[in-house]
Amino acid sequence: MSAKRTSIHGQWSSRWAFILAATGSAVGLGNIWKFPYIAGENGGGAFVLVYLLCVACIGIPIMMAEILLGRRGRRSPINTMRVLAREGHHHPAWQYLGWIGVLAGFLILSYYSVVAGWALAYVFRAAGGLFSGAGGEQVGEIFTALVSDPERLLAWHTIFVVMTMIVVSRGVQSGLEKAVRFLMPALFLLLAMLVGYAMSTGSFAQGVAFLFSPDFGKLTPAAILIAMGHAFFTLSLGMGAIMVYGSYLPDDASITQTSVTIALADTLVALMAGMAIFPIVFAHGLEPGAGPGLIFQTLPIAFGNMPAGTLFGTLFFVLLVFAAWTSAISLIEPAVAWLVENHGMSRVMASVWAGAITWTVGLGTVFSFNLWADDTLFGLTFFDLLDFATANIILPLGGLFIALFAGWTLSRRVTMEELGLDGIGYQLWYILIRYVAPLAVVIIFLNVVGLLRFG
Ligand code: PHE
């Protein structure tokens, strides 16, 4: 059994390249689009606190586990799980973990790409000066006009799927590494600027209080589940994206340091997005629980009323598209790597197949906002259902099994060797991955099931 395997798909050029790529995967629509609107829908403060706790106690240990599994196996998640199970004489069913991940990747990317399409559309709306001087009502109308038109959504969705597949087909190292290196800091700067604008709205204190002062009365079992699901979603965990990136990680890189760095960067971006958005929400008397359109109905007001807003607005949506792009690539990489390994396909062919499947499933989301808006199950549209099932059920379930595999099935010798930890550091991870993370996921699940059964 060799720890010095190499991946047939290549390797990151350095530890930093991996951190950038993994941060690129983690930081995306989840931070800027999703976090603010679910925090708004679930009452703010207390929800944010649960999310932060989940990132620290469940997210970071599972991220370390995913990276170590990936680096140990050096294959697509399906084959990594198969090989690691075989080498340790464990049950071959562990490979299904990889399959669930591939499925989750397709499902998530199918709607992710539609929302990324909104961001693409907004680049042109911002550049065209559509927001200048706009108030809450106007930007609301601009958003409604976009999502109620299936043809437009379809066009933007198609463009984003094609963009993603082009980068994926070229392999992880070329292009991707270089792009992330400068786009991430740029996004960060622009967000900082938006927070600065939010400070000038007069409602900054109210926005910050909404995000950070917990009102536990608003914390329902469903809100706790959504906060946990989001910790998985935002860190790209539970479906093999970080595992496959870990399979390209050089042997000498520290898994602990990289995981903590990625989680911190990701959390910071989400909190900054919240601090930029909620002051605008309150200053303009908008609704924090406005749903998926929240950032598209708030940030344009900021751009419409700040100096050089057309420029900054355009730049912001361009960077949002890039953030989504670097996440989208990682959503589909597990499937593409598997197609190359098991079907001898070229990366280009594999990308075409993966793109075609994603595009087709994405039609459901495109129509959720218009033609099928009234077709609901449990009051949820196709998009709502997909988003709920993937983020709040499939990813935590995947994460649970990853924790069980790394904590209970894999030998301590292997995990210790890969993590390069000993003493108290290793013990801490071991307790988190063996007990804390799995129990937390199970308890949060049972809490919601109990609610459904006993009202
Ligand atoms: N983490 C990404 C985001 O926050 C989404 C994602 C989820 C990417 C799962 C890969 C895997 O936008």
Side-chain angles (χ1 to χ4, degrees), residues 25-31 108 112 230 232-237 239 241 266 327-328 330-331 395:
S25 163
V27 174
L29 295 173
N31 307 62
I108 297 177
Y112 204 85
H230 188 64
F232 280 98
F233 185 88
T234 192
L235 295 174
S236 308
L237 298 177
M239 50 76 57
D266 186 75
S327 301
S330 70
L331 277 163
L395 295 186

Side-chain angles (χ1 to χ4, degrees), residues 37-345:
Y37 95 75
I38 57 176
E41 284 178 338
N42 291 286
F47 173 88
V48 175
L49 194 68
V50 176
Y51 150 75
L52 292 175
L53 275 174
C54 289
V55 167
C57 302
I58 307 178
I60 293 179
I62 291 185
M63 180 177 291
M64 291 168 65
E66 270 203 40
I67 300 174
L68 90 81
L69 294 178
R71 187 165 75 179
R72 193 76 183 180
R74 292 247 185 252
R75 289 172 172 81
S76 67
I78 295 175
N79 288 326
T80 283
M81 290 308 299
R82 196 171 46 76
V83 165
L84 293 183
R86 194 178 55 213
E87 283 177 353
H89 309 290
H90 310 301
H91 202 284
W94 281 109
Q95 66 177 294
Y96 292 116
L97 191 51
W99 282 104
I100 296 173
V102 166
L103 176 73
F106 277 118
L107 296 180
I108 297 177
L109 186 57
S110 80
Y111 70 80
Y112 204 85
S113 135
V114 174
V115 178
W118 300 352
L120 267 174
Y122 267 56
V123 170
F124 295 92
R125 283 162 184 59
L130 213 64
F131 305 141
S132 58
E137 205 166 311
Q138 277 156 287
V139 297
E141 279 163 15
I142 294 173
F143 180 71
T144 312
L146 173 66
V147 296
S148 55
D149 182 345
E151 277 171 32
R152 270 195 243 176
L153 288 195
L154 187 60
W156 292 116
H157 165 61
T158 309
I159 293 173
F160 190 79
V161 170
V162 171
M163 279 167 59
T164 303
M165 294 313 147
I166 288 175
V167 177
V168 174
S169 68
R170 308 184 62 177
V172 228
Q173 296 93 332
S174 66
L176 178 63
E177 260 192 50
K178 271 176 241 137
V180 185
R181 208 168 286 244
F182 115 100
L183 293 167
M184 283 290 143
L187 178 70
F188 194 79
L189 274 182
L190 221 73
L191 265 180
M193 217 189 69
L194 280 174
V195 175
Y197 174 82
M199 285 180 180
S200 73
T201 57
S203 298
F204 192 66
Q206 198 185 346
V208 170
F210 178 79
L211 267 181
F212 296 111
S213 57
D215 172 357
F216 291 101
K218 293 189 178 144
L219 203 55
T220 59
I224 297 177
L225 176 70
I226 295 171
M228 173 181 73
H230 188 64
F232 280 98
F233 185 88
T234 192
L235 295 174
S236 308
L237 298 177
M239 50 76 57
I242 292 292
M243 195 186 292
V244 80
Y245 276 17
S247 74
Y248 312 136
L249 181 66
D251 281 308
D252 53 359
S254 155
I255 292 179
T256 312
Q257 274 173 18
T258 49
S259 302
V260 172
T261 312
I262 297 160
L264 282 179
D266 186 75
T267 307
L268 196 63
V269 172
L271 295 180
M272 281 171 67
M275 287 194 286
I277 287 161
F278 287 109
I280 301 173
V281 168
F282 295 118
H284 291 267
L286 302 169
E287 191 41 62
L294 186 68
I295 72 155
F296 296 96
Q297 290 165 310
T298 47
L299 292 184
I301 303 178
F303 298 126
N305 294 286
M306 64 166 63
T310 299
L311 174 69
F312 288 128
T314 312
L315 216 72
F316 175 82
F317 286 108
V318 167
L319 291 173
L320 185 60
V321 168
F322 274 102
W325 205 358
T326 53
S327 301
I329 291 159
S330 70
L331 277 163
I332 208 66
E333 179 65 20
V336 169
W338 178 78
L339 284 172
V340 172
E341 285 167 12
N342 286 44
H343 291 270
M345 276 190 200

